[in-house]
Amino acid sequence: MRVRDVFEYFGSINALAKFLNISRDSVYKWGEFVPAHRQYELEVKTKGRLKSDYSLEQEKKEKGNNDNKSRA
């Protein structure tokens, strides 16, 4: 699940943070992808309107590895 898709659904970071009962700063720390545990929480709390996509976890790891390689 990408953060931009979640923002689109909720309309604002404030609405999302309030929905999950977390701070805006916590949401900003996610980066491009919603953490797996939050994906599950969002899927359950939205009754499936937002769907977990754990395949993005692999993309996130690959992206992180590419960033590390470019720094070397």
Side-chain angles (χ1 to χ4, degrees), residues 19-20 36-46 52:
F19 183 78
L20 293 175
H37 71 284
R38 292 295 183 186
Q39 288 187 45
Y40 176 75
E41 182 178 6
L42 285 164
E43 184 172 350
V44 170
K45 287 184 172 182
T46 64
S52 301

Side-chain angles (χ1 to χ4, degrees), residues 12-40:
S12 73
I13 192 169
N14 290 332
L16 170 60
K18 185 175 181 178
F19 183 78
L20 293 175
N21 196 32
I22 60 175
S23 70
R24 288 176 35 162
D25 289 338
S26 294
V27 176
Y28 280 119
K29 290 178 184 177
W30 291 353
E32 184 179 350
F33 303 99
V34 178
H37 71 284
R38 292 295 183 186
Q39 288 187 45
Y40 176 75

